[in-house]
C-alpha cells in the first residue's frame, strides 16, 4: 500500500518529497489560469500547476499532487475546504505528522 | 499489556457511534483487568488508515488489535476517493494520507436513511466514518455504521491530533497532573474522569478545573492540595494562617467551595478535604 501514502507537508518540508505525492492544505492567494499561488500552513508561498477544468472556488483547499521542486506542486486532485480554516492548527498537525514518535501510524 | 484498553470516556460511546469527533478525555483510570475485555468492544478509538491496515487478529473470528491493544469501534476522517453504490451496500474508497481502505455501508432497501446517507457524500470530500474493522478473505474493510460529511475543516486536523494523543496514551499512560501526589493521583484520576466538575483535564496543572473560581478560593484549594493528604483533611486554622486575610472571607470562600462540591467537611466543621 506504499503507493497510496501522501504525507502532509508545508513549504519548508516540500523539498524532502520531490517526485512524490503529497497532501498540501493551503490558502489560495492568486489564481491565474493554469498556475495558482498558494500559501502553505507555515506561511511559505508555493506555486501550483492546476489541473485543467479545475476552478478554485474557495480560499482554503487541500491539494493532492506531485512535488515538482521545492516550490512547485503539480495538482492531481483538489478538495474544497471552505472559507475558514485555522492554518496554525494545520501547521501543528503537519509538523506532528513528521514527528518520529508517530512514524508507526503514519 | 496496556491497562488502558478501556478509556472511560469512549467507553460510553459504543454502539452506533453518535459521538462525532469523540469527547475530550481526561486521565483514564486503570480499569481492573476483568473489565478490560468487555470494555474494549464498546470503545471508540480514533485511528489512521495505516493503523487499520497494520492491525492484527489472533484468528479469523478474534477481535482486532492495534499495537497489542484490542479495538472495538474505530473512527477515521478521510477523503472519499470513489463511491460505488450497489443494491445492498455502498462502498466508499477512503484515503487519509496514510493509506487507503474500503468502507462498506449496508443500506436497508426502502428506508429513508439512504438519501441522507449517501446523498450528502460525494467524491473528493472529507468524511468521518465510524464502524468496526472487518475482513473478507484477505481484504480488510471498515463496516461503517455511521458516515457523515465533514462540515468544519478543522475537524480533519482535530482527528489527526486526537489519533496521535490516543496513540501516546496507549503507549505511555494518560498525562498526569503535576500537582497531584502519587497515590492520591490514582484515586483522583479514577473519580475525576467521571466527575462533573472535571470535564477536561489533559496535562498542564491540576488547577485547571478551579480556574473559574475567584482567587481566594483558588488559593485555598492550592494550599489544600499542597498539604500531606490525611483523611481528616486540612484544619481551617491552617488554611487561615497560610492564606491570611479576613477570617470571614475565608469562611465564605470555603462555603462557596462546599456548595460547588469542591471541598467537604470531615471530622468536624473545622476540617476540610478536597473532593476529587
Amino acid at each position: 500500500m506504499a503507493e497510496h501514502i501522501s504525507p502532509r507537508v508545508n513549504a519548508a518540508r516540500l523539498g524532502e518529497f520531490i517526485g512524490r505525492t503529497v497532501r498540501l492544505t493551503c490558502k489560495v492567494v492568486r489564481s491565474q489560469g493554469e498556475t495558482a499561488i498558494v500559501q502553505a500552513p507555515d506561511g511559505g508561498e508555493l506555486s501550483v500547476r492546476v489541473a485543467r477544468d479545475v476552478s478554485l472556488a474557495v480560499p482554503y483547499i487541500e491539494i493532492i499532487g506531485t512535488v515538482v521542486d521545492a516550490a512547485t506542486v503539480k495538482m492531481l486532485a483538489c478538495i474544497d475546504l471552505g472559507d475558514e480554516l485555522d492554518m496554525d492548527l494545520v501547521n501543528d498537525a503537519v509538523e506532528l505528522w513528521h514527528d518520529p514518535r508517530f512514524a508507526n501510524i503514519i | 499489556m496496556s491497562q488502558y484498553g478501556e478509556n472511560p470516556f469512549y467507553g460510553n460511546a459504543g454502539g452506533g457511534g453518535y459521538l462525532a469527533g469523540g469527547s475530550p478525555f481526561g486521565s483514564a483510570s486503570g480499569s481492573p483487568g476483568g473489565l478490560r475485555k468487555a470494555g474494549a468492544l464498546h470503545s471508540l478509538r480514533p485511528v489512521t488508515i495505516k493503523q487499520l491496515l497494520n492491525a492484527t487478529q489472533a484468528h479469523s473470528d478474534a477481535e482486532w488489535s492495534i499495537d497489542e491493544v484490542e479495538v472495538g469501534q474505530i473512527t477515521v476522517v478521510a477523503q472519499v476517493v470513489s463511491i460505488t453504490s450497489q443494491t445492498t451496500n455502498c462502498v466508499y474508497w477512503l484515503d487519509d494520507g496514510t493509506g487507503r481502505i474500503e468502507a462498506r455501508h449496508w443500506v436497508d432497501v426502502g428506508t429513508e436513511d439512504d438519501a441522507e446517507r449517501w446523498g450528502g457524500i460525494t467524491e473528493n470530500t472529507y468524511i468521518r466514518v465510524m464502524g468496526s474493522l472487518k475482513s473478507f478473505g484477505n481484504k480488510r474493510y471498515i463496516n461503517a455504521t455511521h458516515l457523515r460529511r465533514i462540515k468544519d475543516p478543522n475537524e480533519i486536523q482535530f482527528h489527526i491530533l486526537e489519533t496521535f494523543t490516543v496513540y501516546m496514551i496507549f503507549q505511555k499512560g494518560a498525562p498526569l497532573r503535576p500537582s497531584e501526589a502519587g497515590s492520591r493521583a490514582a484515586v483522583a484520576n479514577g473519580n475525576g474522569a467521571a466527575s462533573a466538575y472535571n470535564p477536561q483535564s489533559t496535562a498542564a496543572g491540576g488547577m485547571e478545573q478551579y480556574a473559574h473560581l475567584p482567587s481566594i478560593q483558588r488559593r485555598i484549594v492550592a494550599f489544600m492540595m499542597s498539604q500531606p493528604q490525611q483523611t481528616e483533611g486540612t484544619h481551617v486554622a491552617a488554611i487561615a494562617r497560610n492564606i491570611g486575610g479576613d477570617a470571614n472571607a475565608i469562611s465564605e470562600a470555603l462555603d462557596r467551595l462546599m456548595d460547588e462540591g469542591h471541598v467537604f467537611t470531615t471530622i468536624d466543621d473545622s476540617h476540610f478535604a478536597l473532593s476529587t
Side-chain angles (χ1 to χ4, degrees):
Chain A
M1 281 301 210
E3 67 271 20
H4 290 310
I5 292 184
S6 41
R8 291 181 177 272
V9 295
N10 49 25
R13 294 191 178 267
L14 202 61
E16 300 164 30
F17 296 98
I18 296 186
R20 292 183 48 185
T21 308
V22 296
R23 217 165 259 267
L24 175 69
T25 304
C26 56
K27 181 173 182 189
V28 179
V29 173
R30 240 180 354 266
S31 172
Q32 304 153 321
E34 289 206 356
T35 317
I37 307 292
V38 300
Q39 189 185 47
D42 56 352
E45 284 200 352
L46 302 169
S47 96
V48 177
R49 296 194 198 153
V50 179
R52 268 176 299 137
D53 303 339
V54 171
S55 64
L56 302 172
V58 294
Y60 290 100
I61 56 173
E62 182 162 295
I63 296 173
I64 298 107
T66 48
V67 181
V68 175
D69 61 46
T72 316
V73 174
K74 175 161 180 282
M75 178 196 286
L76 298 169
C78 166
I79 302 174
D80 281 353
L81 295 181
D83 298 317
E84 282 184 24
L85 184 56
D86 182 344
M87 288 305 256
D88 290 331
L89 179 64
V90 174
N91 200 41
D92 287 343
V94 169
E95 289 299 318
L96 279 178
W97 192 272
H98 298 274
D99 189 315
R101 289 177 293 180
F102 305 115
N104 274 343
I105 61 177
I106 290 301
Chain B
M1 272 282 205
S2 163
Q3 59 177 322
Y4 294 98
E6 174 189 33
N7 181 313
F9 275 91
Y10 285 152
N12 297 325
Y18 279 103
L19 256 183
S23 42
F25 38 83
S27 28
S29 59
S31 34
L35 277 187
R36 183 167 42 84
K37 218 160 164 51
L41 300 179
H42 298 298
S43 61
L44 175 67
R45 183 172 170 176
V47 292
T48 60
I49 290 178
K50 182 169 178 183
Q51 284 178 296
L52 294 178
L53 297 175
N54 287 342
T56 53
Q57 200 182 28
H59 56 83
S60 65
D61 286 328
E63 293 306 317
W64 290 92
S65 296
I66 293 179
D67 302 322
E68 319 273 309
V69 176
E70 269 186 24
V71 275
Q73 306 253 329
I74 46 94
T75 178
V76 290
V77 168
Q79 168 203 355
V80 177
V81 176
S82 68
I83 306 179
T84 311
S85 176
Q86 295 159 353
T87 39
T88 51
N89 62 26
C90 211
V91 179
Y92 302 87
W93 196 219
L94 301 176
D95 181 345
D96 70 346
T98 69
R100 290 191 174 183
I101 197 170
E102 254 184 32
R104 281 176 181 258
H105 179 60
W106 263 266
V107 283
D108 280 325
V109 179
T111 59
E112 289 312 300
D113 272 347
D114 303 1
E116 179 214 308
R117 285 282 158 81
W118 54 267
I121 296 177
T122 51
E123 294 182 6
N124 260 2
T125 57
Y126 267 92
I127 61 171
R128 180 178 280 281
V129 176
M130 280 173 254
S132 40
L133 183 59
K134 294 268 189 276
S135 69
F136 187 67
N138 267 342
K139 202 167 62 160
R140 299 182 186 204
Y141 65 96
I142 300 173
N143 183 352
T145 47
H146 188 64
L147 315 111
R148 69 169 165 81
R149 191 182 170 136
I150 297 282
K151 299 248 168 54
D152 181 345
N154 291 305
E155 189 171 356
I156 302 166
Q157 272 63 245
F158 166 74
H159 176 75
I160 295 170
L161 298 175
E162 194 185 34
T163 301
F164 288 176
T165 308
V166 170
Y167 176 72
M168 294 294 286
I169 287 183
F170 277 125
Q171 280 199 336
K172 305 211 170 147
L176 287 177
R177 288 179 282 172
S179 60
E180 237 143 8
S183 60
R184 188 169 166 78
V187 173
N189 293 348
N191 293 333
S195 158
Y197 340 118
N198 192 9
Q200 281 145 35
S201 57
T202 47
M207 290 301 291
E208 265 181 8
Q209 57 185 306
Y210 303 115
H212 63 287
L213 295 174
S215 147
I216 184 173
Q217 294 184 27
R218 259 184 291 139
R219 278 155 53 213
I220 293 177
V221 169
F223 172 69
M224 288 172 75
M225 270 192 189
S226 69
Q227 292 301 96
Q229 302 301 329
Q230 300 148 317
T231 36
E232 67 266 24
T234 318
H235 195 280
V236 68
I239 298 179
R241 259 198 317 273
N242 191 276
I243 306 287
D246 177 34
N248 271 340
I250 296 194
S251 174
E252 209 189 283
L254 281 167
D255 279 343
R256 286 282 127 67
L257 284 170
M258 242 195 322
D259 284 341
E260 298 264 309
H262 294 303
V263 303
F264 56 94
T265 49
T266 55
I267 54 176
D268 62 23
D269 283 342
S270 305
H271 287 83
F272 290 87
L274 270 180
S275 25
T276 46

